Structures are given as C-alpha cells and as structure tokens.
Amino acid sequence: MTLALDQIATGGTASGANEEALRRQAHGERRSMLALTLPALLLVGFVVLIPIGWLFWLSFVDKSGFTLIHYQRLLHPTYLLTLRTTFELAFTVTVVCLLLGYPLAYLASQLPRRWASLVLLCVLFPFWTSLLVRTYAWLVLLQRRGLVNTWLQKLGIVEEPLRLVHNFTGTAIGMTHIMLPFMVLPLYATMKTISEDYMRAAANLGASPIRAFWQIYVPLSFPGLAAGLIVVFVLSLGFYVTPALLGGGRVMMWAMQIERSTTVYADWGAASAMGVVLLVITLGILWLVSRLTGSAKLGEAR
Amino acid sequence: MLRQPATSTQITHLDRLWLYVLCGLVIVFLIAPTLLVIPMSFSDSRYLSFPPESWSLRWYRAYFGSLEWRDATVVSLQAAFLTTIVATVTGTLAAYGLHLARSGAGRLVQVALTLPMMIPVILLAIGIFLFFAPLELNNSLSGLVLAHTVLALPLVLISVTAGFKSFDMNQEMVARSMGASRPRAFLTVTLPQIRNSVISGALLAFITSLDEVVIGLLIAGGDKATLTRRMFLALRDEIDPTIAAISSLLIVLSIVLLAVSQYFQSEPRD
Amino acid sequence: MATPAEAPAAGGNRSASLPITIERLVKSYGSFKALDDVSLSIRSGEFITLLGPSGSGKTTLLMVLAGFVRPQSGSVRFADREVVLLPPHKRDIGMVFQNYALFPHMTVAGNLAYPLKLRNVPAREIAGRVERALDLIQLSAFGERRIDQLSGGQRQRVALARAVIFEPRILLMDEPLSALDKNLREQMQLEVRRLHDRLGMTTVYVTHDQREALTMSDRIAVINRGRVVQLDRPRELYERPATHFVASFIGESSTLPIEVRDGRASFAGAPLLSAAPTPASSASSFLVLRPEKLRLLADAAPAEANVIAGHVRQNVFQGDSIVTYVRTASDHEIAIRRSLRTDEVLAEVGTAVRVGFSAEDAIIVPADADAPQTGRP
C-alpha cells in the first residue's frame, strides 16, 4: 500500500502499470474459458430458449393480436378438472413415495457399506431401465388377467379381479414406481451425513428411540426430505407417459391435455397457454422451496 | 440373533423387524415388476402369463422379423450414439470452461445449461415441434439428435463437474509449464484423469436418448420413428406382446450399462 | 442452577451423586479384547479419570457406563441399581461427547431445554433454568444463537451445560477438551473441575492427556490393553508407579534396566538403594528416574549408592527449565531437568558428570508383559 502511495507521488512506476495489465489478462483468461461453454449454450439456446420463448409468445396472441383468451379458456371446467386430477395424482404419488421411500433410505444409511450398496443398486436399477418398459411392466401386471390379480385371487384375498389399471389407482402405482428413486436418493445422501452421535446424545439426554427419531433425526433429514418431495411432486405434475398408458384415457393429466391440443386439435394457443401455466407452477414451486430452505438454514447436519 | 442391538442406542433387530420387512417389500416393488417382464416375454400366450404356461420365442421372432421394428431400433440406436458423442463433447468442454472460469457469469451459464432438466418435458416437446417445423427438422435424425442432446447435456455437465472437483488443476499447469499447449495439456493430462466421470456422463447420455419417449413422440415420425415412439403407440392402442420381447432386451441392456457405470465409478484412480 | 452438593441424606432426599460399581466387565470384538475383566469402584461424588493411550479401552468403558456398548459379561451398578442391561435413555446420567453433538436444528436455548422437556419440566421452570445455565457458562446473550454460529470453546461450554442442566448424579465426559487449543484447554480444565466441585456429581472423565488427568482428578485409573493397570491418586501415581507402563505414560522419566544379585540392585555396576522393596530377581525390572528429582553432583562429592556416571550429550533450553541429557557408559540416556539460576554454569557437552538421586526417588518397577524395553526418557 505505501508503495502505491509513493508511486502516486512520483507519477507512477512500471510495477503499477503491470498490475493493471496483469489483472486485465487474468480477467480475460477467465472470460475466454467461458467460451468453451459456447457450443453447449448455443444448443440450449437454440433448442430450448427459442422454442419456449416462442410458445410463451404464442400463448398471448391470436389472429387479432395480443389477447388473454387462451388463458381465459383455461378456466373452463374441463381444464380445471384436469388441473385438479394432476394435482391429486402428484400429491398422492408424493405421499406414497414418502411413506415407502423414507424407511428405505433410512435403512440404507444405517447398513454397513456392502449391504447399503446392494440396496442402492436396487434403487438405481429402475433408474436405468426405460420408463416405457417399466410402465409396460405395470400394464401387464395390473391387467385383469395379470399377475397381481391372479395372485390375489389365488391367495383368496379377493374373489373378483380388481380394476387396477386404466384408472387412477393403476396410474398412481406406476408413477410411484417411477418416482421412488427420486425420493430415496436425495434422502439417502442427506441421511448419510447425520452423525450417529446426535442419536446417542438424544438417548443419553433421555429421549426414547421414538422421540429421538421424530425430534432429532427427522428434522436433521429435512434437506434431503425437501429435495425428494419437491422433485417427485414437480416431476409428477408434468408427467405424460405413465398416465397416458396406465390411465386408459380416464385419467386426464395436464401434460396429456397439452399433447392433445397439439396433435389432435392443433390448438397452439391452448397448448402454449397450458404449457406456460405448467412452467410457471413448476418454476414457482422450485423458487419457493429454494427461498424456504435457503433462509431457514438448519445448520449443517454433520 | 434378533435380540442383538442394531444401533448404539440399543435398538434391537427385533424392534426393527417391521422396518426390514417393509424395506424388503419396497425393494421387491422396485425390481420385481421390471424383472418379471423377462420370463413373461418367453410366454407363448398373448396374455403373457407368469410363470409362462408354455415357452416360446414367438415374440422375439415377431420383433426381429418385423421391418418396422428393426428400422425403429436402428433409428433409436443411431440417435443414441450421435447424442452421446455430441452431448459428451459439448458437455465436457462446458464443464471444463466453467471450472476454469469460476466467475459470477459462470454461475449464470451453469443455470442456463441445467435449464432443460427443470422444464417439463412435454413443454420442451411441443416447443421443439413447433420450432423445428419450418426448419424441416421434424421427422429427421438431426432434429432428434439436437433435441436429445439438450436433454442429456445437464447430466453430462453434472457428472463431469463432479469429476473436476476431485481433480487437482495444478497438474495441468505443470504440464503447460513443461511446454504443452492448453489443448494438449487438457487431452494428455486432464482428460485421462477425469475419464471416469466423462464415461459416466456418456453412459447417462446414451440411456437418456435411447429411453426418451415424449419428444420422440412428437418429432420423430414417419420412417424416422424411434423405437420408443413405436412402442408407445403400440401400447396405447393395444398391448402388443412383441413389446415384452423388446422390453426384455432393453432391460438386459440397462443392466449391462448399470454394471458398466458402477464399474467405472468404483474403479480406483491411477 | 442446582444448589451446592448436599450430603447424602437420610429421609429420602435426592443426593447429588451416586457411586458406581463396575465388576468384571468383558467386551470383545471378535478376537480383540477391548475390556479384559475390568473391575472398578468409583466413589460417590469423586472426579475419576480413565487415562490411557488410544485403543486402551478407556472409551469403551465409558460407553458401557453410558449404555451404548453392551459387554459380553459383567456388572455395572449405580449405587444399588444394576444398569448394565438398561437402555441408554433410561440411565439418567449426563454425558459430554468428544465432538459435542449439539443439535444443529435447535438454538442454544433449545439444546439446553431439551433434556428438561423430556422430563416434563413445566415450561416456565425450563425458561428459568436455561437462563441460569447460560449465566453459569457465561453465554447469557447467546440463547437464541444457532450452534453453527458458536466458536469451538463456546460449543464446548454449551455441551457441558446441556449435560448438567437436569442435575444428573453421574457425569461422563469423553475427551471433551481435545478439540480446543492449548490455552483454552487449560482454562477449561479448571472450569470443568470447578463445576464438578460446585455440583458434586460423580464424574468419570476420559482422556489420553496425562497432564490433564493429573490436573483435574481425585483419582486416576490408568488403563492399557483393556485392563486397569493402576488406580490411585495423582500424586501416588506419579511418585509410585506400579509398572513400567504407568511410569512411562505419566510424566517424563528416564528408564534404565537393572540387575539384581544377592538381594541388591544395581545399574551397570552402580549400586542402587531404593525406598521400594528390592525385587527378587532382575528379570525385567526397571529403574525409573523423574528428571526433576536428579542432581548433577560435583566431582568431589562422596560416591555411595544412587550415583550414575556419564557424560553430557546435550543441553536443551525450555524456557522455564533446562534439560540436560547424560549418556552413560552403557549407552543409556538419562534426562535431568533443572530450573535456571543466573549464576549456574552449564556443564558443557562432553563433560564427564555424575547423576545423583535419593532413595525415595529411585522408583523400581516391573516390566509389563510385551512392554518395549527402553532407556529413553
């Protein structure tokens, strides 16, 4: 610092000038590194940003120019029913995934490494299997003469085959199967960081295993829990394939409605408006959650 | 044995029996349906019973014998391979650039590149369909590859970025100080060491493209129909048992790819 | 917080502390014996330290007391109550963990209130007791802070307060000061001891730092390889170690192998006279010399027993004292620690000197099984 002041007094020296050039060069070098991301950015811009932007624009125009009519039409009962079905299904799937996924993630985080790897492999396996294949598997299993019904009848649990497919139930089962890994993996990641000392301290202070679980363990698992819940819910909202196949036309989801408007009715106004609504809801939920988990820092669950 | 403590807070295995049973059921739920498809695909009857009353290869013959299924398979494989190459190259370069830049603008770029993961696929599908129409990229391999690449990019990016985190960039500087140019240093020093994460990313890109349904449904029609598109349409109209055979093959492929990716993730670094 | 320790009263009043009786504990992990038939009687209200190197079993013993480890056999009693089968959450004892284990999702006040809530203490009383606890550890303004906002020393104090706020009659501490830097650690050693004196509960403290043990304890149990090697007051342990291991683990010392012939002990020909009884044979016995108990003798002094000849190898200045290393003719090394006096002339390196000590300070110990034989201080 003193050196610089001296130099100001004497009108600057060589080292002062170099500092400036060096800083510029370092900055420029870092900038040019970003150029490596250009091909990827161009792709995303071309294939994602432009089409979405175009859709956005389409949702606000029709033959006569700027209009909100596409959005207004969405207030029609059929659309509202679709929205309700979509939320109901997403909510149901999320809750079931929570009930099934939390215990599994918990157990995996407690097991010694070899067993934990085995469990994780079982969770990853559906991940790597085609969505279509898994949906198809459920289609076959849940049909009237399918495996599930045959076994239920054999075991004497039911007399008539249950209607498990081409309805809400079948769709929910299939989607749960698809979404479960998305719940388990973030939960597991967080749970692995929860030190066993916390549970020991809780026990030592007098908490029974149940109280310790609800009062100490579950709060410490919140980051992974929130991530899992959000991912599953948001993905379920926009889901297309499984409801389309397992719903048998009786379960109309928002995404199916969008596809219909495009391919059957070529109603781009409706389709784009619905798309924008879905996007806004999706991004809105993501933003809301990032605000909540960002501001209420739970401290590090070490 | 069941009365042995399972935790240091002295919860026994017996206390936790319900947990073990529940998790066992969940695991069965996760893997049984998929695996059951394989034996069912050898079933002779149209209703695909399990266990199959009579065994036959008829559905496999139907698959391999059908020109349309074969063409669709070829299209899907071509798209998957091309997507893998494009996505892996651009994704790795982007991850490299982001890692070196480490500036504020970099974070923005990172968000932009993971955007495709956050947007509902159906939306992307109709948008791309709309946009590609005047460009005549619909029902074309190049259009399909472009769309799939954009879906696979975030996965490659995340995988390779993780690989960079455990790589010491000083090694590249050492190489450069010895006279290697930047690209050369990257290719000979950096790349071999982040190889595992690049391969993981590539495998993810491959499987993402191969399994992709929604976008292909809209933009891959005609003689450039993907395998998944054909399967979807066949399933929507009726449950064609040929699908069982195709599914079995896809499942086996998934198992192989999962095993390969696990191998590369657990392989010790040099 | 609690009023100063009350004497165990007749008439059913709750006393401030309980005695602990440990009998014949055995804990093995496969073929490794973590606790090898350990018995220990801990008096009501005493501050006892389990001292030993890592892997000695001291932490395992503490964990058995806490209930986190079940032994294969043995008994643990708090006063008359057998607790070895009791789950940890029913033992009603306080514990400070090595890394504190403060709940990150609760505030400081929340952490302190937690054990009181578990005991169904009414809310108003909780608030008061938390406030007094914060005062006690001098963190009165920190009630609403989150754990990650505290420094290491502050967290340590909160962990301590949380462990005693519900007035347990037994307190366990698992190397609680090991994460602190030296100055803070020494300060906290006194704080912890003062807290114990004020509250009066039986305290079992685990550490590998012998200095810490000597500073804080009423008694020390030296533990090695799953066994209690010696149980004594600090001074006794220091001046009369029972084995070679204890002698070398506690304090500094020079250890020399001795020979015994005709009931007389000697080292390298120099006769030795010890206040301790002479061992029967010379098989594995050692002479242990504390550096501060040795004198450099003037040449003209009469040569009797307890004088060893050698020459100066090195003088090391250590601020408050000087350590002189003397090498004997038999190539063993003896360290002598003296405090500096300005007029004292240092013996130069290479000078022939004679090291002298009294009979009381000639400590003779048997070797432990498998103990390394060494003459280094």
Side-chain angles (χ1 to χ4, degrees), chain A residues 30 33 128 130 136 177 196 275, chain B residues 8 30 48 100-101 123 254:
Chain A
R30 282 209 303 270
M33 287 300 101
W128 284 75
S130 160
Y136 171 66
H177 188 248
E196 208 188 345
Chain B
S8 62
L30 277 174
L48 298 176
L100 286 179
L123 199 58
S254 295

Side-chain angles (χ1 to χ4, degrees), chain C residues 16-251:
Chain C
S17 63
L18 291 173
I20 304 175
T21 313
I22 300 167
E23 247 165 57
R24 313 211 58 177
L25 282 182
V26 175
K27 177 65 186 176
S28 314
Y29 293 102
S31 55
F32 171 65
K33 275 208 164 142
L35 293 176
D36 190 0
D37 197 7
V38 172
S39 301
L40 192 56
S41 262
I42 302 176
R43 301 178 192 137
S44 187
E46 89 169 303
F47 190 115
I48 186 168
T49 297
L50 307 178
L51 174 68
S54 9
S56 56
K58 59 190 191 299
T59 306
T60 310
L61 182 54
L62 197 76
M63 289 294 161
V64 171
L65 292 177
F68 298 127
V69 170
R70 283 275 159 84
Q72 263 87 20
S73 66
S75 145
V76 177
R77 286 198 297 278
F78 296 165
D80 294 323
R81 191 179 173 213
E82 175 67 66
V83 299
V84 78
L85 290 175
L86 203 59
H89 65 277
K90 292 204 182 128
R91 295 203 181 191
D92 199 23
I93 55 182
M95 184 160 182
V96 182
F97 293 81
Q98 194 169 4
N99 57 11
Y100 316 141
L102 295 172
F103 303 129
H105 63 294
M106 295 182 188
T107 59
V108 170
N111 268 276
L112 293 177
Y114 189 61
L116 299 175
K117 282 199 195 137
L118 289 172
R119 287 162 175 78
N120 296 317
V121 174
R124 270 189 75 200
E125 194 184 325
I126 293 184
R129 285 167 78 163
V130 168
E131 202 181 301
R132 270 172 280 153
L134 287 170
D135 281 339
L136 188 74
I137 55 174
Q138 290 134 33
L139 287 174
S140 306
F142 284 69
E144 292 312 302
R145 297 268 180 104
R146 304 211 83 92
I147 303 302
D148 59 1
Q149 295 172 307
L150 301 176
S151 72
Q154 290 167 337
R155 285 183 217 194
Q156 208 281 328
R157 281 182 276 161
V158 175
L160 193 54
R162 187 180 69 176
V164 301
I165 193 172
F166 54 98
E167 293 163 25
R169 291 182 279 174
I170 293 173
L171 177 63
L172 307 176
M173 304 182 79
D174 183 11
E175 306 203 49
L177 309 181
S178 59
L180 304 175
D181 63 62
K182 185 164 178 287
N183 285 336
L184 197 51
R185 204 178 329 143
E186 286 175 7
Q187 199 184 316
M188 284 308 299
Q189 284 166 8
L190 300 173
E191 289 291 327
V192 169
R193 178 70 215 207
R194 275 190 216 129
L195 192 70
H196 165 264
D197 293 338
R198 186 173 155 160
L199 298 175
M201 65 269 188
T202 312
T203 302
V204 183
Y205 190 97
V206 163
T207 182
H208 62 273
D209 183 336
Q210 48 96 22
R211 231 203 165 78
E212 192 164 271
L214 291 172
T215 307
M216 301 173 75
S217 329
D218 292 330
R219 283 196 301 167
I220 303 174
V222 180
I223 299 182
N224 190 30
R225 296 175 207 266
R227 297 211 186 148
V228 177
V229 178
Q230 188 174 355
L231 171 66
D232 232 327
R233 288 193 310 224
R235 182 124 194 207
E236 271 66 33
L237 268 177
Y238 187 79
E239 307 211 312
R240 259 162 283 287
T243 71
H244 179 255
F245 172 78
V246 178
S248 53
F249 195 78
I250 303 219

